[in-house]
Amino acid sequence: MARSTTPRLPPALPYTTQVAIFSRLREANPQPVTELEYTNAFTLLVAVALSAQATDVGVNKATRRLFQQVSTPRQMLDLGLEALTEEIKTIGLYRQKAKNVIALSQRLIDEYDGEVPQSRAALMTLPGVGRKTANVVLNSVFNFPAQAVDTHIFRVGNRTHIAPGRDVSEVERAIEDNVPVPFQQNAHHWLILHGRYICQARRPRCRICPIEDLCPYEEKTG
């Protein structure tokens, strides 16, 4: 019988260690929030849809003036594809993203009375909206403990063994399974910020990391 070539995942950190880690992250940042700027559920939905393969800083720069003009699906349709494309042209893949935003705005009006739906399945029927985008909206606007796994969270989850997984779906499930309930609502915010500013990809800043002594990562750096 041929042996499987799929690498075996390490076990997730034990419960008591998870509690210790997230207690420290909470102490350092009691009320973490997304760094995307928005005014309501619709503008957050648009901002997250625009953020694929782009930075939050870049999206905020492009949407700051846009969201002064637009805060509803009807206003987005009134603005139109050409004007929207011009507003977001500094963002990567902006032409396709503009088409998606116009299309999702039309879908919201046609099927949801202009309101952002409050279920993952419904959100994922919208053009340009995948599971990660849906989870951000559910968490940040509707206070549902959904875990939006991006590259930062995938890296942190595996590097620290907080939530090991071979792909984003496995990491999402590992967070849900292993992070204690009191920390579930804010877990993805803490993890993404930790990955963005401390547990960075090429050279993690281990010496200033608040959880360094609890992290099993062997290649610690300064």
Side-chain angles (χ1 to χ4, degrees), residues 25-106:
L25 295 178
R26 180 174 62 186
E27 182 178 0
N29 188 358
Q31 298 294 330
V33 295
T34 177
E35 293 186 321
L36 289 170
E37 297 174 3
Y38 66 99
T39 59
N40 58 18
F42 174 68
T43 54
L44 179 60
L45 176 65
V46 171
V48 182
L50 295 177
S51 70
Q53 300 181 50
T55 65
D56 288 359
V57 171
V59 172
N60 290 338
K61 183 177 179 181
T63 60
R64 202 162 286 140
R65 188 175 75 164
L66 172 66
F67 291 160
Q68 292 176 354
Q69 309 170 61
V70 172
S71 62
T72 68
R74 173 52 60 191
Q75 290 174 341
M76 188 66 76
L77 293 182
D78 290 343
L79 180 68
L81 177 60
E82 184 176 348
L84 174 60
T85 303
E86 182 65 22
E87 288 285 346
I88 66 169
K89 65 182 180 181
T90 57
I91 301 174
L93 307 175
Y94 70 97
R95 294 188 187 279
Q96 183 58 52
K97 290 177 180 179
K99 292 177 182 177
N100 286 339
V101 169
I102 293 297
L104 74 81
S105 299
Q106 187 67 62

Side-chain angles (χ1 to χ4, degrees), residues 97-220:
K97 290 177 180 179
K99 292 177 182 177
N100 286 339
V101 169
I102 293 297
L104 74 81
S105 299
Q106 187 67 62
R107 182 79 62 84
L108 289 173
I109 290 172
D110 292 344
E111 298 189 18
Y112 301 105
D113 297 323
E115 299 293 328
V116 175
Q118 299 185 37
S119 82
R120 185 182 292 117
L123 285 165
M124 289 176 64
T125 67
L126 302 173
V129 176
R131 188 178 182 91
K132 185 186 79 170
T133 297
N135 282 349
V136 172
V137 174
L138 291 173
N139 183 288
S140 296
V141 177
F142 300 124
N143 298 314
F144 180 77
Q147 307 301 331
V149 178
D150 69 350
T151 56
H152 295 298
I153 296 176
F154 182 82
R155 178 177 67 256
V156 172
N158 279 288
R159 182 181 277 169
T160 64
H161 300 182
I162 289 172
R166 297 178 184 87
D167 55 37
V168 294
S169 296
E170 287 191 1
V171 170
E172 180 182 339
R173 179 61 182 271
I175 294 172
E176 294 172 348
D177 287 350
N178 294 286
V179 174
V181 168
F183 307 106
Q184 283 281 333
Q185 178 62 41
N186 291 319
H188 98 269
H189 291 300
W190 283 316
L191 293 174
I192 192 173
L193 293 171
H194 191 68
R196 185 172 288 168
Y197 297 112
I198 295 179
C199 196
Q200 297 170 333
R202 293 185 179 179
R203 188 174 177 83
R205 305 172 70 191
C206 298
R207 295 298 172 253
I208 66 167
C209 175
I211 63 170
E212 179 187 10
D213 59 313
L214 301 173
C215 173
Y217 183 60
E218 294 181 356
E219 300 176 27
K220 298 274 176 50

